[in-house]
Amino acid sequence: MRNKRYFSIQTAAVAFTLLLLSFLPACSDENGGNSPDIPDGKLYTLTINLRSKENALPTYTKADPSHDKFERHILNWWLIIKGAGNDNQDFYKYMTDDPQSDNPADLSETSVKVELPAGQYKIYALANLRSLTNAEEVIKAIQEETLLTKQGVSLPPMTRFDEQSCYIPMTSYGYEVTVSESTPEQAISLIRLIGKVELTVTNYQSSAITLKGLSLNKLRADGQSIFLFPYDIDEAENPQNLLQADVKDSYKPGFPGGVWGQTMSKVFVTEGESVEIATNDHVTYTSYVNETASQDNSDLTITTKIDGRNDQPQAFDVDFIRRNDWLQIPVNVTDANIVIKFDQQHMPIGGLPRSIHFPAGPIIPTGAYETDHAGDITITYKLTDVSSFTSPVFKHYSDTYEGSEIYSSAVLLTNGEESKHTNLLINTPEDNTHAPWLDKSKKAFKLPEDNAAEGSFKVTAQELSTAAEATIQLTLVIVERNPQTNGNREIALPYTITLKNKKGNNS
């Protein structure tokens, strides 16, 4: 897959702020579990702190305030402790507070202590299993020591989670720990088995619009099998992809039996529930969704229905949603036609600069450019027309501004990991000198100073042997060339540009 995901993705990404869930009183056989034969010798107390994982946007991000308590809540939990060393490889113990937490605080804060002989162990955590449609089968397998790391499970319809009528099942990777007298506490991240999407429709036109339809298409349909544990849990070197801060093609979900499954559309607005959106106003819709991936790498699509506007499904640069992802997708309705072009030296013979056309109407304001070698890349943005303007131009910053005045800007959002050896772009701006109306932490590229219907800026990609990407927030402020004659209307249109290299082939 292409590394596809930066909308208002604050991959995230995918994000929820996730708490450290600490388990309090010790679990004993009286409150669930079994007692395997333990070799004679001293026992050591291991404290296990469970925490529910942050939602990825697809990179880690803040929790959704409207769902925070629900998404953090652990109603009941299970721990599986397996021997991992030669001396105790047959060791198995499970612990649980099922059927209900004995410490049901708002955020299920609690901690578990377990006494174990010295040795090596692998520990797995699970929560809210009663929400699975095959819950009894899974719980029985835990009790009978037959639960597989590639165990398939199924979930109820996503509407059950939207309604918050059942808590979200969570599981973890296997955590290796060596128990001894000096063993520290072990933290375990719990990962939700579902994703979440958020669609925001913003009206940038000069008059109100009526939204008569909105749907997200090609999602994996309800009721189909997924893996109980993270799908890469048995991969070599234990990559733990779902805990990584970035989102790569290799993180694409897999499903039991390699069955990609049937797809469905999630409908947010129908004609019978039309919504009017005033100028410069927006509406936001949120829903939980199944872990999704397309077998042929085809993108997800969004369909909007607004009178007089394009109502065909629009693809955007995402072809999978992982468990625990929080995917935020903007849909902007404009009356502007914008073209963004990418030009780089050493283009293929007969090749043309890559261009992205953002037409008037409902659009997803994101685009990507992939380079196969290092060097300067010139990004040009051009305004072809705006139906509600007489003589539109981009408003550029020269040397002064007043109060809340804003201008067009290009701000670096991400640039790979925080290392010069993994940054895609070099010689990047260090501050907001070229956009001083923005926060001082913003890194703004230099744009032209004169107002015009076209502008450009330059970035420099470096040679890397690994895949990398950078994202730029391009905000284009449009005004009339002669406001005394044609009025002083002003609109600011945001676009997100993702720059990528071809792994190992950008020299």
Side-chain angles (χ1 to χ4, degrees):
M1 161 187 125
R2 293 100 48 202
N3 195 2
K4 309 178 164 186
R5 345 179 133 220
Y6 221 98
F7 297 99
S8 174
I9 285 177
Q10 291 164 271
T11 65
V14 213
F16 309 133
T17 279
L18 301 162
L19 70 122
L20 293 180
L21 288 166
S22 307
F23 285 76
L24 264 184
C27 271
S28 65
D29 293 334
E30 283 72 27
N31 65 354
N34 61 343
S35 295
D37 293 332
I38 298 178
D40 292 337
K42 188 173 182 179
L43 298 178
Y44 298 93
T45 299
L46 173 66
T47 300
I48 301 171
N49 298 317
L50 302 184
R51 61 183 182 186
S52 31
K53 181 74 186 62
E54 294 181 352
N55 284 15
L57 266 179
T59 50
Y60 307 157
T61 188
K62 297 180 179 180
D64 178 0
S66 64
H67 293 166
D68 188 42
K69 185 182 296 185
F70 171 72
E71 289 168 356
R72 296 174 183 227
H73 191 82
I74 293 178
L75 180 66
N76 38 53
W77 54 262
W78 288 256
L79 289 174
I80 298 174
I81 305 171
K82 294 183 178 182
N86 292 331
D87 57 341
N88 67 346
Q89 60 183 351
D90 295 329
F91 183 93
Y92 182 95
K93 178 180 178 66
Y94 82 90
M95 304 174 69
T96 180
D97 71 344
D98 184 53
Q100 185 169 320
S101 171
D102 55 7
N103 184 29
D106 285 346
L107 299 179
S108 298
E109 296 177 357
T110 230
S111 95
V112 179
K113 297 181 184 294
V114 56
E115 292 188 334
L116 297 168
Q120 296 175 308
Y121 300 89
K122 181 170 280 190
I123 304 174
Y124 303 83
L126 310 94
N128 301 338
L129 296 182
R130 295 284 177 189
S131 296
L132 300 172
T133 55
N134 59 334
E136 296 304 324
E137 171 192 340
V138 173
I139 294 169
K140 183 178 179 182
I142 294 174
Q143 296 169 342
E144 296 180 352
E145 306 181 24
T146 59
L147 188 68
L148 304 173
T149 53
K150 288 297 185 179
Q151 177 79 37
V153 296
S154 59
L155 297 166
M158 291 297 106
T159 52
R160 294 284 305 280
F161 300 110
D162 289 338
E163 298 163 355
Q164 300 187 10
S165 59
C166 60
Y167 288 109
I168 301 172
M170 309 177 198
T171 62
S172 76
Y173 286 99
Y175 285 77
E176 295 181 355
V177 59
T178 299
V179 173
S180 67
E181 187 172 5
S182 59
T183 299
E185 296 183 357
Q186 177 64 49
I188 295 181
S189 292
L190 283 161
I191 301 168
R192 298 169 187 81
L193 267 64
I194 61 177
K196 184 166 70 172
V197 296
E198 181 179 290
L199 273 67
T200 298
V201 182
T202 304
N203 179 19
Y204 289 101
Q205 295 189 155
S206 57
S207 59
I209 61 172
T210 300
L211 182 64
K212 295 184 176 181
L214 178 66
S215 65
L216 176 59
N217 315 309
K218 297 187 179 181
L219 295 171
R220 201 161 187 260
D222 289 336
Q224 300 177 91
S225 182
I226 63 171
F227 288 118
L228 175 63
F229 291 102
Y231 41 84
D232 63 333
I233 195 168
D234 291 332
E235 287 186 15
E237 300 181 358
N238 192 25
Q240 298 194 349
N241 292 333
L242 290 169
L243 301 183
Q244 305 308 312
D246 56 352
V247 178
K248 300 179 180 178
D249 296 350
S250 59
Y251 296 177
K252 187 174 183 175
F255 302 100
V259 178
W260 298 89
Q262 301 298 312
T263 61
M264 61 175 284
S265 294
K266 172 63 184 179
V267 178
F268 297 93
V269 178
T270 65
E271 190 162 354
E273 301 172 339
S274 298
V275 177
E276 185 169 292
I277 309 174
T279 300
N280 296 323
D281 202 358
H282 69 274
V283 292
T284 298
Y285 301 93
T286 302
S287 177
Y288 295 105
V289 296
N290 287 297
E291 194 169 48
T292 292
S294 65
Q295 188 171 12
D296 60 359
N297 293 333
S298 63
D299 291 338
L300 302 181
T301 64
I302 288 178
T303 301
T304 55
K305 293 186 177 181
I306 300 169
D307 285 346
R309 295 297 189 181
N310 177 24
D311 62 359
Q312 295 302 303
Q314 294 187 58
F316 59 102
D317 212 23
V318 168
D319 66 7
F320 69 76
I321 300 175
R322 307 174 301 169
R323 61 186 64 192
N324 215 62
D325 277 355
W326 182 12
L327 186 63
Q328 296 181 324
I329 309 168
V331 180
N332 293 345
V333 185
T334 80
D335 52 10
N337 278 288
I338 304 286
V339 176
I340 298 177
K341 292 183 178 181
F342 304 85
D343 195 2
Q344 188 174 17
Q345 286 185 323
H346 311 304
M347 298 291 285
I349 295 176
L352 295 174
R354 166 77 190 276
S355 65
I356 303 172
H357 180 208
F358 295 102
I363 55 116
I364 301 167
T366 64
Y369 172 75
E370 187 176 73
T371 177
D372 62 1
H373 60 278
D376 290 341
I377 303 171
T378 299
I379 301 173
T380 301
Y381 49 92
K382 184 176 182 180
L383 178 63
T384 58
D385 69 86
V386 185
S387 60
S388 59
F389 283 70
T390 301
S391 182
V393 291
F394 294 120
K395 182 183 178 185
H396 288 137
Y397 172 70
S398 54
D399 55 6
T400 60
Y401 73 98
E402 297 180 4
S404 58
E405 194 171 13
I406 64 172
Y407 301 81
S408 299
S409 62
V411 173
L412 183 66
L413 295 180
T414 67
N415 191 18
E417 300 175 9
E418 292 301 318
S419 164
K420 65 177 63 176
H421 302 297
T422 58
N423 288 346
L424 176 60
L425 302 182
I426 57 175
N427 304 325
T428 56
E430 297 182 353
D431 52 34
N432 70 334
T433 296
H434 301 300
W437 60 95
L438 300 177
D439 184 270
K440 292 183 179 180
S441 65
K442 302 301 183 182
K443 299 177 179 181
F445 293 93
K446 181 175 176 56
L447 300 184
E449 295 185 359
D450 296 330
N451 291 351
E454 183 175 321
S456 67
F457 62 101
K458 186 177 294 184
V459 302
T460 304
Q462 71 167 328
E463 181 177 334
L464 293 173
S465 60
T466 58
E469 73 169 39
T471 54
I472 296 170
Q473 182 74 52
L474 178 62
T475 302
L476 299 178
V477 178
I478 301 173
V479 296
E480 288 284 2
R481 185 184 297 274
N482 185 348
Q484 281 73 31
T485 303
N486 302 316
N488 59 1
R489 181 170 178 241
E490 178 176 304
I491 57 173
L493 303 179
Y495 301 87
T496 300
I497 298 171
T498 302
L499 303 173
K500 311 170 186 179
N501 66 354
K502 291 185 177 179
K503 182 176 180 180
N505 187 36
N506 62 334
S507 59

